[in-house]
Amino acid sequence: MSYQHKYVDGTNIHFPVGKVVCIGRNYAEHAKELDNPVPTEPLLFIKPGSCVVALEGGFAIPTERGSVHYEAEIAVLIGKPLSTKPSREEVLDAISGFAPALDLTLRDKQAELKAKGLPWEIAKSFDGAAVIAPFVVSSTFPDVTDIGIRLTINGEVRQDGNSAIMLNPIIPMIQYMAGCFSLQAGDVILTGTPAGVGPLNVGDELVLELAGVNSFESVVR
């Protein structure tokens, strides 16, 4: 695997690339835009580490597999193991960094599988389905309930959200995840996407940012 976790200064992070644990429909307006019910409990799914690629330098999408949708998300890097019922303090201590990321979805394939009542990992876990920018250290955000995420495509802001409006805030979300399956150093949490998702096209120019902290330019290949 060519991808390796790193910080914004270019320093490689010694944690191995683990699984990517995602939460679906964590912003009410996003659930509504896809005509999905708002979950009454966290909706979790996992992407394998093999699907992670770097945002820098551009990334490829599988154009031959139907519409590929972008979903901008706040990524959380786990730096220490967490298991059943961790305290708030243990979760905060285990967070190593934050980064903007893209959860890519084969939307046509997902709709087809959902209509049949089948699992939809194929639509979420293909190679390149998790696009992650470099991380900033966790101390950058003393208040994890106020982290902004923004995606601009071809000069137009498409998504602009904040952890303050998540249905499941970051700390309780990670506590819930750790109660379902152990989290290890090198795992990444994708915390859900705000409204405004849509299709990507080859040649699209992107700016993905943690609002007010950093921004990264990239292009779809």
Side-chain angles (χ1 to χ4, degrees):
M1 181 187 300
S2 59
Y3 173 85
Q4 183 171 359
H5 295 317
K6 66 180 182 178
Y7 290 117
V8 292
D9 64 0
T11 304
N12 288 334
I13 297 171
H14 66 275
F15 308 135
V17 180
K19 60 185 176 292
V20 182
V21 185
C22 310
I23 184 167
R25 307 178 199 171
N26 201 28
Y27 291 78
E29 291 304 312
H30 169 60
K32 293 176 183 177
E33 74 178 345
L34 295 184
D35 198 28
N36 288 321
V38 175
T40 56
E41 62 182 31
L43 174 60
L44 305 183
F45 60 95
I46 291 177
K47 293 173 178 270
S50 59
C51 77
V52 181
V53 295
L55 177 74
E56 298 170 294
F59 58 95
I61 59 172
T63 56
E64 75 285 355
R65 300 178 68 182
S67 181
V68 181
H69 275 210
Y70 59 81
E71 299 183 15
E73 309 202 10
I74 300 164
V76 181
L77 177 63
I78 299 300
K80 294 182 179 180
L82 291 171
S83 56
T84 306
K85 296 182 179 179
S87 67
R88 175 181 175 82
E89 290 71 26
E90 288 172 326
V91 172
L92 286 169
D93 184 56
I95 294 175
S96 176
F98 297 91
L102 294 174
D103 169 15
L104 301 187
T105 304
L106 298 175
R107 192 68 75 195
D108 296 337
K109 175 58 68 173
Q110 184 188 44
E112 173 190 329
L113 293 168
K114 287 171 66 177
K116 297 177 181 178
L118 298 173
W120 31 269
E121 279 85 356
I122 290 174
K124 283 286 192 179
S125 299
F126 56 93
D127 291 351
V131 186
I132 301 179
F135 289 87
V136 295
V137 296
S138 58
S139 59
T140 304
F141 294 103
D143 181 4
V144 300
T145 65
D146 184 18
I147 302 176
I149 178 74
R150 184 181 299 122
L151 174 64
T152 302
I153 300 180
N154 301 327
E156 178 187 353
V157 175
R158 300 289 183 86
Q159 293 186 272
D160 193 357
N162 191 289
S163 61
I165 58 173
M166 290 177 174
L167 297 174
N168 300 278
I170 289 175
I171 300 306
M173 175 198 314
I174 296 175
Q175 289 175 309
Y176 182 86
M177 290 173 172
C180 295
F181 27 68
S182 295
L183 300 175
Q184 305 297 328
D187 287 350
V188 173
I189 309 300
L190 291 186
T191 57
T193 192
V197 303
L200 285 173
N201 297 291
V202 172
D204 281 346
E205 297 180 349
L206 285 65
V207 178
L208 185 61
E209 55 189 308
L210 294 179
V213 174
N214 56 32
S215 65
F216 302 90
E217 296 181 359
S218 192
V219 63
V220 181
R221 296 188 274 105

